[in-house]
Structure formats: C-alpha cells, structure tokens
C-alpha cells in the first residue's frame, strides 16, 4: 500500500488556520469580507491554478484598501509560529501508524508550491513523508511519478471533485474521502461520492487495517 495524502482539510484544519490569519489582521481593521475577497482573488488569479501567497494578498490589500503591506505580511507570517496547532488531533497518530507499519506516505497537495512548502515545513510532518508533491495545477492534470504500482495507491482526500478527477486519471487506484464535520463545504450535487467516507483519519485507519 502507498498512502497518498491531501493536506488542507484532511491533515490540516485549514478552517482554523484561516480563522487565525483573519484574527491576526483584525487589529489593523481588516474585515473578514476584505480578507476572503482578496484571498480568493489572488488564489484564483489564473483559472485552474492556485496562486495564493501571503505576499500577493498583502499587496492586494494595500492596493484595494490602503492597508500597510509590510505590516499585513508580518502579521500573516506570524501565524506560522503556531502552525502545528492546526493539525487535526488524529493527524500525527495516523502518520505515526503508517510509519510504524512501514507504509510509505506521499503528500499530494494543490497550491502555490512556495507557500505550500512553507506550510509543510512549519507543520513539522516532513519526517513522515516519503515524498512531497505540490502542484499549482489541478490535481487531475498533475503527473504523479511514483514507483509503487498504481493498484497499491490509496488516495485520502476531502475534496470530492479531486477524488473524481484522480479516479479518472489513475483508474487502478483506490480512494477514501475524509469528510471533516468542520471541513470545506461543497454544493449538494458535488458532495455525493461513491467511495468509502469517514469523518476522521482514525476511522479510515480502522477500516483499512481492521
């Protein structure tokens, strides 16, 4: 088995992470609407790609609303100091279990590579990972070059659209959806998926290795 793990909303409580980012800017007067508007604008500036970075959001907040760009960047970056606290409680036990069972774990994540690599480093999980694959392109179009046979691949991901795209791209693989109660929300027509679905990694672990 080769476990191919998503990061945001699967290993990392990205909802709580974003709340901390918005909270860091509240003393400057940045509103939630301003934060999420500029976040979305820079993240999806190029259709089909994820381009978000603290630098680009700080610049846009200055251009649109007149905030101090350097102070915005300083405050956003300060959240990295507490980044490990945003791992879901079952993330490290799950990674430790895979390591103890000698099951290779690959992190496969969609985002701005520089920004995402900084998050991975800040989380301190690299020691559990055989490989880190970060793509700014949609996962369904990215090339996964892994030595294990595709039939041994098991994707663990929260995003139903990514799971569908990966199943089409790698039809011999398997998928498990991790649908966290406070995770990312999807429209009802996208949210229906015929794969094993669990609320936690602990439940998925039990199902895989019972």
């Amino acid at each position: 088995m080769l476990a191919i793990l998503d990061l945001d909303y699967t290993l990392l409580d990205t909802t709580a992470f974003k709340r901390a980012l918005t909270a860091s800017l509240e003393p400057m007067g940045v509103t939630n609407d301003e934060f999420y508007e500029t976040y979305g604008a820079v993240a999806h500036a190029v259709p089909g790609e994820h381009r978000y970075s603290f630098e680009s959001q700080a610049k846009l907040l200055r251009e649109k609303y007149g905030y101090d760009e350097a102070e915005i960047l300083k405050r956003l970056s300060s959240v990295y100091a507490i980044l490990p606290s945003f791992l879901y409680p079952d993330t490290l036990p799950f990674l430790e279990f895979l390591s103890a069972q000698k099951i290779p774990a690959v992190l496969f994540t969609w985002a701005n590579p520089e920004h995402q690599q900084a998050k991975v480093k800040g989380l301190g999980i690299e020691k559990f990972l055989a490989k880190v694959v970060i793509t700014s392109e949609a996962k369904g179009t990215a090339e996964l070059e892994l030595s294990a046979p595709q039939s041994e691949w098991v994707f663990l991901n929260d995003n139903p659209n990514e799971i569908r795209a990966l199943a089409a791209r790698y039809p011999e693989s398997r998928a498990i959806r991790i649908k966290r109660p406070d995770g990312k929300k999807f429209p009802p027509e996208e949210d229906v998926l015929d794969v094993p679905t669990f609320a936690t990694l602990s439940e998925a672990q039990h199902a895989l290795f019972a």
Side-chain angles (χ1 to χ4, degrees), residues 132-206:
V132 176
V133 181
I134 304 174
T135 177
S136 61
E137 302 175 1
K139 283 187 179 179
T141 64
E143 187 64 37
L144 270 178
E145 298 180 354
L146 304 173
S147 57
Q150 192 183 125
S151 59
E152 296 181 9
W153 299 6
V154 179
F155 290 97
L156 291 95
N157 196 326
D158 75 294
N159 189 317
N161 298 312
E162 290 183 350
I163 291 173
R164 288 188 191 92
L166 291 166
R169 182 72 184 270
Y170 303 107
E172 295 179 30
S173 67
R174 291 186 291 155
I176 289 176
R177 185 180 182 192
I178 306 300
K179 189 177 181 181
R180 303 281 188 178
D182 57 350
K184 187 174 182 179
K185 307 305 180 186
F186 297 88
E189 64 274 13
E190 296 177 12
D191 210 32
V192 178
L193 196 64
D194 188 22
V195 301
T197 300
F198 303 98
T200 67
L201 289 169
S202 300
E203 294 173 7
Q205 176 182 321
H206 180 75

Side-chain angles (χ1 to χ4, degrees), residues 56-124:
S56 56
Q57 187 174 22
K59 179 181 178 182
L60 188 57
L61 282 165
R62 173 182 60 79
E63 292 173 347
K64 290 202 69 172
Y65 299 108
Y67 293 110
D68 184 318
E69 183 176 342
E71 183 65 16
I72 290 280
L73 183 57
K74 177 183 176 182
R75 288 175 175 271
L76 291 175
S77 299
S78 71
V79 179
Y80 276 142
I82 57 170
L83 199 52
S85 68
F86 301 116
L87 288 170
Y88 287 108
D90 57 4
T91 292
L92 288 179
F94 183 71
L95 292 174
E96 289 167 351
F97 173 82
L98 294 178
S99 178
Q101 297 296 315
K102 302 191 183 305
I103 298 170
V106 172
L107 187 70
F108 184 32
T109 177
W110 176 57
N112 177 324
E114 184 176 345
H115 176 72
Q116 205 73 336
Q117 184 61 53
K119 281 166 64 178
V120 173
K121 183 177 180 180
L123 289 168

Side-chain angles (χ1 to χ4, degrees), residues 7-30:
L7 179 62
D8 290 292
Y9 306 101
T10 300
L11 304 181
L12 174 68
D13 187 346
T14 308
T15 301
F17 176 54
K18 287 182 178 178
R19 280 199 298 262
L21 293 176
T22 60
S24 75
L25 302 184
E26 284 177 359
M28 297 181 65
V30 179

